[in-house]
């Protein structure tokens, strides 16, 4: 009986050891799988992170390049202050012209303003030159033939042959000669002013025919 009891205890201990070994193996496999998934997800970033890194790295490199260029330029300019002053003085008028280059909106506002000035006075005392100039611009605007071209330092307002929207209906645009381009110029914008319009609006309230 004692021998049977010892054998049964040994079998029970063996079974418990087997169960413990199986649990340890299963736990180890689960931990290994979880660690591999974690490291795999870390090694393979998401799509947004890849896109962000693809945009961030070139931007940082570009900013570094610009920083190096500006630092080198500043060092060279500091070594030659007289040359720097001369270059700055020579470029300042160009910067001024570029900054005050009038736009098409500015031209349209000036046209409306001068048209209202003409409406406030009697037709009999209006200057014919001023009235014809503003009426010509308003006619081009209503026909869609008023073009605008910015050349950086100054702007040109010119008359087109046809409305650009007519291309959809198969309209054929003529190519004028180079000599005709000057005749198509309506106004020249420079230093925030439209010079032809200002010249035409001089004495807009004086009818010269009335004094003849």
């Amino acid at each position: 009986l004692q021998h049977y009891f010892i054998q049964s205890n040994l079998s029970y201990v063996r079974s418990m050891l087997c169960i413990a070994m199986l649990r340890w193996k299963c736990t180890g496999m689960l931990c290994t799988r979880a660690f591999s998934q974690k490291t795999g997800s870390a090694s393979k970033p998401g799509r947004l992170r890849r896109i962000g890194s693809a945009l961030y790295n070139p931007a940082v490199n570009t900013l570094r390049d610009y920083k190096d260029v500006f630092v080198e330029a500043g060092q060279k300019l500091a070594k030659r202050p007289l040359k720097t002053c001369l270059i700055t003085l020579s470029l300042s008028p160009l910067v001024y012209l570029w900054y005050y280059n009038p736009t098409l909106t500015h031209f349209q506002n000036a046209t409306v303003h001068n048209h209202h000035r003409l409406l406030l006075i009697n037709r009999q005392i209006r200057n014919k030159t001023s009235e014809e100039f503003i009426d010509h611009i308003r006619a081009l605007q209503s026909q869609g033939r008023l073009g605008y071209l910015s050349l950086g330092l100054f702007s040109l307002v010119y008359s087109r042959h046809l409305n650009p929207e007519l291309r959809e209906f198969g309209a054929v645009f003529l190519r004028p000669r180079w000599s005709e381009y000057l005749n198509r110029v309506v106004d020249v914008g420079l230093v925030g002013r439209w010079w032809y319009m200002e010249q035409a609006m001089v004495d807009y309230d004086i009818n010269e025919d009335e004094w003849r």
Side-chain angles (χ1 to χ4, degrees):
L1 181 61
Q2 185 178 3
H3 180 70
Y4 176 75
F5 181 74
I6 293 172
Q7 290 293 332
S8 62
N9 288 334
L10 289 175
S11 62
Y12 176 75
V13 171
R14 288 176 182 174
S15 61
M16 293 299 293
L17 289 174
C18 290
I19 293 173
M21 291 293 292
L22 289 174
R23 288 181 177 178
W24 182 77
K25 288 183 179 180
C26 292
T27 305
M29 292 175 62
L30 292 174
C31 292
T32 304
R33 183 177 297 176
F35 180 76
S36 63
Q37 291 178 357
K38 185 176 180 180
T39 55
S41 62
S43 60
K44 294 181 179 180
R47 181 177 297 177
L48 293 177
R49 185 175 295 179
R50 291 198 301 268
I51 294 174
S53 61
L55 296 175
Y56 176 77
N57 294 331
V60 171
N61 295 330
T62 303
L63 290 176
R64 288 176 180 174
D65 294 338
Y66 277 108
K67 179 181 177 181
D68 295 337
V69 169
F70 282 114
V71 169
E72 293 179 359
Q75 292 175 356
K76 291 181 179 179
L77 293 177
K79 292 180 181 179
R80 298 179 179 179
L82 181 60
K83 184 178 180 180
T84 304
C85 294
L86 293 177
I87 293 175
T88 305
L89 291 175
S90 62
L91 293 178
S92 57
L94 300 179
V95 175
Y96 182 82
L97 292 175
W98 170 80
Y99 185 78
Y100 288 101
N101 184 22
T103 60
L104 179 60
T105 304
H106 184 267
F107 179 80
Q108 294 174 349
N109 293 336
T111 303
V112 173
H113 175 69
N114 290 319
H115 179 64
H116 288 169
R117 291 170 66 187
L118 291 173
L119 292 178
L120 292 175
I121 60 178
N122 193 352
R123 183 181 295 273
Q124 296 180 356
I125 61 174
R126 294 177 188 173
N127 192 316
K128 299 299 181 181
T129 302
S130 304
E131 189 175 13
E132 291 176 358
F133 185 84
I134 298 300
D135 290 343
H136 176 63
I137 294 175
R138 288 172 54 82
L140 293 176
Q141 288 177 341
S142 62
Q143 297 171 6
R145 296 173 50 203
L146 195 66
Y148 171 80
L149 178 62
S150 177
L151 299 176
L153 303 180
F154 63 96
S155 300
L156 295 177
V157 176
Y158 61 94
S159 61
R160 298 190 183 100
H161 176 65
L162 290 175
N163 191 334
E165 296 180 357
L166 296 179
R167 293 180 185 271
E168 300 178 359
F169 303 98
V172 179
F173 284 74
L174 301 178
R175 293 185 177 181
R177 299 177 181 178
W178 289 101
S179 58
E180 298 179 3
Y181 278 104
L182 294 177
N183 297 329
R184 291 178 176 269
V185 175
V186 177
D187 208 338
V188 177
L190 183 65
V191 199
R193 299 167 60 182
W194 297 100
W195 295 87
Y196 289 179
M197 185 180 297
E198 288 189 2
Q199 184 65 28
M201 291 300 296
V202 173
D203 297 333
Y204 69 96
D205 55 349
I206 298 177
N207 188 358
E208 297 179 355
D209 296 337
E210 188 177 0
W211 300 94
R212 293 178 182 176

